[in-house]
Amino acid sequence: MSEPRSSESGFPIKGVYTQADLPEDLPDRLGGPGEFPYTRGVYSTMYTSRPWTMRQYAGFGTATESNARYHQLLRAGTMGLSVAFDLPTQMGYDSDDPIAHGEVGKVGVAIDSIEDMRLLFDGIPLDKVSTSMTINAPGSVLLLLYQLVAEEAGVPGAALNGTIQNDILKEYIARGTYIFPPKPSLRLVADTFAYCRAEVPKWNTISISGYHMAEAGATPAQEIAFTLANGVEYVRAALAAGLAVDDFAPRLSFFFVARTTLLEEVAKFRAARRIWARLMRDEFGAKNPKSMMLRFHTQTAGVQLTAQQPEVNLVRVAIQGLGAVLGGTQSLHTNSFDEAIALPTEKAARLALRTQQVLAYETDLTATVDPFAGSYVVEAMTAEIEAAVVELMERVADHGSVVDAIEAGFQKREIEQSAYRMAQEIDSGERVVVGLNRFTVDADEPYEPLRVDPTIEAAQAERLAKLRVERDNAAVERALGELRAAAEGTANVLHPMKEALRSRATVGEVCGTLRQVWGTYRPSDRF
């Protein structure tokens, strides 16, 4: 008899599961859909009344080009937009900063000021579209630009619906687009919670992300454990800032990956909901059921896409999307099949959206809630992952806090070890990747990728030069001075930040002002 296969989280997968594999307290672990501990989903009807929000991640080159892609996606039936920003924007630099050279518009859209944000959302009904923005260190800056553009269009903050990622802790662990040291970064997160509660109440103020840790090599158990541990740290930061748990926790959201290991992924999502519900109720005393609901967005696994035989990625993405839906996601982005090669073409992006639409409208996935409930294998796996996640979270807590664990290199080291093990399994052929280490072809068909116009950087620099000549620079300096004073004190920095952006201060100028007060984090620094 062959050896049992191991899950990506490290526990053995049995050839046959029976009733004996179910947890004895399964009814308590399950509850009902929309009931504590939300294992079966955060809403009682889930997709039987409406499908998940279908998002497509897009943004490249200039704001005008990205705006055209957004309109194409909306015409194709996308229900929510998901904005990718270029690296300089993510790091809080303007396009004409020397450090931005060669990166402007490459991995997302370049946003330097309110003028770019106006172009990005031109003609898009911001009171009807949900917008997610993958932005972290300067997340508050981009949110305020979005709010200002909405106000110009007559849309009040109370009507805006969307999410900023705003998850700085995972940047120190796995991604690296941080600006400030952890303490002021956590203050900025807490200030954003407080600001949005008053000014943009339907906005999800943070999307606590396991996706990027998974893309760096984290197992499903590590992805959930380190993400929920980060969530606990954000809750503590908000409480320390004087906020009540039920005032901000209902707007917390999460962001996970969906891999091709479908059964383990479904179990992972169900375990995550259960653990978070108990944490919020038992550790933090949350009373509002919405504070205990782990609502999350899912993106299919970019790291599992192959440049070899890229059309096979269409199959992978369909399976990954199926896992996210069976796991109870609230919104979903399906990757385009050509993303391992370049930015997706319009046709590839449309096919990715059509994949979700087939799942929603041609299958019976939306006919019933949590169809795997009671499954011998899925319930056993859910319990296995839950135990592994709790044990990992305890190891993080043993360091004192998430920040202390990051300083010790714990999460990064654990993820790197898992990534190395996975790479060895692929290299040896133990783990099959179709088209890469098995079922290969001599040569792939030619493919013409989408290419970013190399003149974008110069054009953005010209726009910035014109902006700085035409604006009231004295007003900008006054506004930046007020932002600096708030950062030096204890006032919420988002209010003066908004006025600086309204006066046409740039993203780089705003972030640069905060750098002067808070400093810049370097990995060798002590926290």
Side-chain angles (χ1 to χ4, degrees), residues 16-23 372-382:
V16 176
Y17 285 80
T18 69
Q19 188 171 353
D21 295 295
L22 296 176
F372 274 163
S375 157
Y376 297 151
V377 60
V378 169
E379 297 296 1
M381 281 188 170
T382 302

Side-chain angles (χ1 to χ4, degrees), residues 371-520:
F372 274 163
S375 157
Y376 297 151
V377 60
V378 169
E379 297 296 1
M381 281 188 170
T382 302
E384 290 262 25
I385 291 177
E386 181 179 9
V389 167
V390 169
E391 190 269 336
L392 265 173
M393 292 181 73
E394 289 172 350
R395 290 175 66 192
V396 172
D398 287 343
H399 287 83
S401 71
V402 167
V403 170
D404 293 328
I406 291 171
E407 182 179 272
F410 173 68
Q411 299 97 321
K412 191 171 186 291
R413 187 166 54 250
E414 291 288 309
I415 291 170
E416 287 171 349
Q417 289 172 355
S418 297
Y420 181 64
R421 174 176 58 82
M422 181 70 69
Q424 284 184 310
E425 291 177 2
I426 292 171
D427 288 346
S428 69
E430 180 182 350
R431 186 173 296 274
V432 175
V433 180
V434 174
L436 179 66
N437 61 7
R438 282 185 68 181
F439 313 112
T440 59
V441 294
D442 293 334
D444 286 320
E445 296 177 7
Y447 170 80
E448 185 59 38
L450 177 70
R451 302 194 184 279
V452 175
D453 185 349
T455 66
I456 286 171
E457 186 173 329
Q460 283 294 111
E462 288 179 15
R463 285 172 55 78
L464 279 165
K466 185 170 183 287
L467 170 79
R468 292 186 180 116
V469 168
E470 293 178 348
R471 71 186 182 183
D472 183 344
N473 283 298
V476 171
E477 286 304 314
R478 283 195 300 272
L480 291 175
E482 291 173 5
L483 173 62
R484 184 179 299 106
E488 290 170 342
T490 59
N492 191 312
V493 297
L494 269 74
H495 296 286
M497 188 187 293
K498 183 180 180 184
E499 294 312 307
L501 294 166
R502 191 197 307 275
S503 67
R504 298 202 288 175
T506 67
V507 171
E509 289 165 344
V510 168
C511 292
T513 298
L514 295 179
R515 278 189 183 93
Q516 292 169 12
V517 179
W518 292 341
T520 302

Side-chain angles (χ1 to χ4, degrees), residues 5 24 26 30 43 98 117 123 145 160 226 258 278 343 397 417 425 469 473 486 512:
R5 287 176 55 180
E24 292 183 2
L26 183 60
L30 278 179
Y43 304 122
M117 193 63 95
L145 287 173
L160 295 178
F226 297 151
R278 289 180 172 148
L343 289 168
Q417 289 172 355
E425 291 177 2
V469 168
N473 283 298

Side-chain angles (χ1 to χ4, degrees), residues 42 228 254 256 269 272-273 276 292-296 330:
V42 292
L228 297 191
F254 292 80
F256 297 120
F269 295 131
R273 277 194 295 271
W276 185 250
M292 308 173 206
M293 295 178 184
L294 184 141
R295 298 169 301 111
F296 63 94
Q330 275 59 72

Side-chain angles (χ1 to χ4, degrees), residues 334-357:
T334 36
N335 289 329
S336 301
F337 75 89
D338 53 358
E339 287 186 46
I341 304 170
L343 289 168
T345 60
E346 180 184 347
K347 179 180 180 180
R350 187 170 60 247
L351 281 170
L353 175 61
R354 294 289 182 257
T355 301
Q356 294 201 52
Q357 291 166 335

Side-chain angles (χ1 to χ4, degrees), residues 136-140 166 180 183-193 493-494 497 514 518:
N136 293 285
S140 55
N166 199 28
F180 317 113
K183 280 189 177 180
S185 293
L186 287 172
R187 172 191 167 180
L188 192 53
V189 170
D191 280 359
T192 304
F193 289 174
V493 297
L494 269 74
M497 188 187 293
L514 295 179
W518 292 341

